[in-house]
Amino acid sequence: MQGLPSHRVKVVKIILFAAVLCLPSCKEEVSKVPEPVGEFERNVQPIFNRHCVECHSPRNAVRRLVLDSWESLLMGSENGAMIVPFYPKFSHLFQHLHTDTTLSPVAPPLMPIGRNPLSREEVMTIYNWIQNGARSRDGKVPFEDSYSKIYVTNQAADLVAVIDKRTGLLMRYVDVSAQGGISQNPLQSPHYVTVSNNKKYWYVSLIAKGEVWKFDAETDTLVAKVSVGSSPAHILCSPDDSTLYVSNFSASVNRITMVDATTMTVKQTSPPINTAPHGLALSRNGRWLYATAFESDRIFELDLETFSVRQFPLRRSGEPSTRNYRPYQVMLSPDEKKLFVTCNGDATFDGDLRIIDLETLDIKAVQVGKYPILMDYTPDKSRLYVANRNSNSVSVVNVQSEVVVATIENVGVQPHGLAISSDGLVYVSNESLIGFVGHHPTDGGLRAGTSAIIDTRTNQVIKVVEMLSFPAGVAIRE
Ligand code: HEC
């Protein structure tokens, strides 16, 4: 200690002495500092560190997939979400980790590519972590705070897929199966989905089961179920959200069932809507309800105050009497003076968009693609986008001039549902029953489907979101 003043030597000695004395308690102090104690940091991240980050790090992110943290893993790869919380079976990352098709469909190539595969224990550690919600260290389930969401029914999987609006990533599957746990036997077939005007709830029609289920839109948990009779297709909420109008798409029922949305009980049924009502529209004041009669080529107007009914035919004079129009969806024009009706068509007729003037009863036919299904307006209501199931396209119709101003090709296989967000993005579900344009494996599991996101500013598909079988109805909460 040469050169140090004696009082400094003393201070150093005291510090050393104190350090020795406090060793046990200091150790305790250290262990009190919050450590990465969550299951992810303790058990899952080390597996990725050992086997994956070599090729999936920020500097070398193969397929733009980064596996160095919970946050980056949850951002997925260039192909979208790699993890769906609670569903290891349908998490693409999990499908790359093993070859056991009883655990999940298997996606080649096996990861880590060209190395020894993970042990069964490592595979099951990742399985269990996803099954428990893919939680972060502080117990957070990915996207649990997400407000803006897109719901897409996966009709042949008894699930509703949920897309996070901000990132465009698939964030959840909601189980709407008979016994829970994705038992598809018998299929209940979620067909259509709608969000209440106050954004608190969403409703899904189980067309094979004859029920409508109500979900809390914040937590996506089941609130109540109601039995509404055979084949519930479309659902509309009254402007004050007190009533649901549900079409019974059945040639033996032929009615609209009215449900008290609070108690989830049937209040009333409409006079006959012959035959097979499907699409529904409601005037802004909530008084006039329009329904397509799919099997009789007419549109019905129901006055909800008097329950009187008017009908509008779809056939123009001179058109063949053998032709079936099969009207699917109906929407009111922005000024509520006209009806826009998608007609699926039949073997002799490709279908079209028919515009009925409610005053003059004039019918105009606009040639869109084949078998048009669902449609929606741009936020400024200047254009109408129509999903054409049998030509894999979306038609853009100028609402004022009533002409097709653009056709967006190769949207996916069999576009069905369509909804446009307030920022001008079109969400189109593709049934994908006769093909699939994604990269998920379809062996050893359910046939996959997609939804496309189109930007109305460019009319380009900007994203494809892979999901499960038969994507159909689409609804946006924002
Ligand atoms: C030696 C490099 C390498 C290692 C190590 C590796 N990967 Fe990969 N990973 C790749 C390559 C290359 C691809 C693209 C394969 C293809 O598309 O044919 C890929 C693709 C993937 C995909 C598919 C991404 C998509 O967009 O579909 C996932 C998921 C994945 N890896 C996860 C992992 C996991 C988990 C580990 C560790 C257990 C791992 N990888 C280890 C090279 C690697």
Side-chain angles (χ1 to χ4, degrees):
M1 296 284 169
Q2 203 184 7
L4 278 178
S6 66
H7 71 276
R8 287 286 297 274
V9 172
K10 221 171 175 181
V11 167
V12 169
K13 274 186 180 162
I14 288 169
I15 289 172
L16 281 176
F17 184 57
V20 169
L21 267 188
C22 85
L23 259 182
S25 58
C26 288
K27 216 176 174 184
E28 241 175 69
E29 279 301 309
V30 169
S31 67
K32 272 187 199 152
V33 173
E35 263 188 14
V37 289
E39 201 201 332
F40 180 77
E41 283 74 9
R42 200 171 49 227
N43 297 326
V44 180
Q45 185 63 58
I47 299 175
F48 293 150
N49 292 347
R50 275 199 299 279
H51 301 285
C52 318
V53 290
E54 175 192 344
C55 302
H56 297 288
S57 69
R59 276 194 302 132
N60 176 26
V62 178
R63 292 278 180 271
R64 296 217 305 269
L65 174 65
V66 177
L67 297 174
D68 68 349
S69 69
W70 183 82
E71 284 78 7
S72 54
L73 163 62
L74 268 306
M75 291 316 291
S77 78
E78 63 195 34
N79 290 302
M82 290 289 117
I83 300 281
V84 184
F86 309 106
Y87 283 92
K89 191 172 170 179
F90 303 133
S91 292
H92 191 69
L93 179 136
F94 185 72
Q95 299 173 341
H96 270 283
L97 295 183
H98 63 90
T99 53
D100 179 355
T101 51
T102 61
L103 277 179
S104 79
V106 168
L110 184 64
M111 293 293 143
I113 201 163
R115 308 275 194 279
N116 286 334
L118 301 192
S119 69
R120 180 77 179 185
E121 199 194 334
E122 288 171 319
V123 169
M124 291 318 292
T125 298
I126 294 173
Y127 182 97
N128 291 329
W129 168 71
I130 301 172
Q131 180 83 42
N132 292 329
R135 290 166 195 275
S136 66
R137 138 192 350 176
D138 40 16
K140 201 171 135 55
V141 176
F143 302 107
E144 67 184 13
D145 302 327
S146 170
Y147 181 90
S148 296
K149 301 180 254 197
I150 295 92
Y151 298 97
V152 186
T153 63
N154 288 184
Q155 189 167 325
D158 276 359
L159 293 168
V160 176
V162 189
I163 300 169
D164 173 57
K165 173 83 181 63
R166 193 177 56 78
T167 59
L169 292 168
L170 182 73
M171 56 171 268
R172 289 285 185 281
Y173 283 118
V174 180
D175 189 341
V176 293
S177 68
Q179 287 113 42
I182 342 153
S183 151
Q184 280 98 35
N185 195 16
L187 261 185
Q188 313 213 88
S189 304
H191 180 63
Y192 193 78
V193 57
T194 196
V195 175
S196 63
N197 296 301
N198 64 14
K199 319 292 181 198
K200 286 191 178 157
Y201 302 102
W202 54 271
Y203 300 91
V204 58
S205 57
L206 302 176
I207 196 163
K209 175 68 176 167
E211 288 180 356
V212 169
W213 288 12
K214 175 181 186 174
F215 283 83
D216 182 309
E218 201 178 305
T219 56
D220 296 327
T221 49
L222 183 66
V223 176
K225 304 176 183 179
V226 58
S227 196
V228 290
S230 180
S231 304
H234 276 218
I235 313 167
L236 276 187
C237 295
S238 61
D240 64 0
D241 288 325
S242 65
T243 305
L244 305 180
Y245 301 100
V246 183
S247 58
N248 291 98
F249 181 48
S250 153
S252 57
V253 180
N254 294 322
R255 68 178 185 218
I256 312 298
T257 298
M258 293 160 211
V259 172
D260 181 318
T262 312
T263 60
M264 287 295 276
T265 51
V266 173
K267 290 203 287 202
Q268 223 169 354
T269 55
S270 74
I273 307 285
N274 287 321
T275 308
H278 193 285
L280 296 173
L282 191 63
S283 61
R284 271 190 288 274
N285 63 10
R287 175 159 178 186
W288 310 99
L289 183 67
Y290 297 89
T292 62
F294 188 80
E295 286 179 20
S296 45
D297 294 342
R298 280 169 294 168
I299 306 299
F300 282 65
E301 178 194 72
L302 177 63
D303 180 340
L304 292 169
E305 273 178 22
T306 63
F307 264 47
S308 58
V309 170
R310 270 208 301 171
Q311 296 181 32
F312 306 100
L314 286 160
R315 191 182 312 279
R316 294 189 298 179
S317 63
E319 289 185 315
S321 61
T322 49
R323 171 188 279 187
N324 295 307
Y325 294 86
R326 304 202 301 169
Y328 194 87
Q329 196 199 9
V330 54
M331 289 186 88
L332 276 153
S333 62
D335 61 9
E336 301 202 331
K337 288 185 174 157
K338 292 178 181 176
L339 295 176
F340 289 83
V341 184
T342 48
C343 296
N344 285 176
D346 63 12
T348 67
F349 163 60
D350 282 344
D352 57 19
L353 175 72
R354 302 215 145 203
I355 304 175
I356 304 173
D357 188 311
L358 289 171
E359 232 169 79
T360 64
L361 303 187
D362 278 351
I363 304 161
K364 182 172 176 180
V366 178
Q367 199 57 57
V368 287
K370 295 178 190 170
Y371 205 104
I373 303 201
L374 297 189
M375 54 188 160
D376 199 7
Y377 291 113
T378 49
D380 66 1
K381 301 232 183 327
S382 68
R383 288 175 292 161
L384 183 71
Y385 281 63
V386 184
N388 304 311
R389 182 183 185 272
N390 290 1
S391 44
N392 295 346
S393 65
V394 166
S395 297
V396 185
V397 178
N398 181 307
V399 172
Q400 214 59 50
S401 63
E402 297 171 355
V403 297
V404 174
V405 292
T407 303
I408 306 161
E409 308 282 359
N410 302 322
V411 165
V413 181
Q414 300 169 301
H416 178 125
L418 188 151
I420 303 183
S421 60
S422 60
D423 59 352
L425 296 183
V426 190
Y427 294 84
V428 187
S429 59
N430 298 305
E431 290 180 10
S432 314
L433 299 177
I434 57 163
F436 171 63
V437 284
H439 82 307
H440 272 79
T442 52
D443 292 347
L446 293 167
R447 173 186 286 284
T450 65
S451 288
I453 307 178
I454 298 167
D455 191 331
T456 52
R457 284 164 288 256
T458 58
N459 283 341
Q460 299 290 320
V461 174
I462 55 167
K463 206 167 189 132
V464 174
V465 184
E466 295 181 29
M467 49 185 62
L468 283 170
S469 308
F470 195 168
V474 183
I476 302 174
R477 179 198 197 223
E478 56 179 353

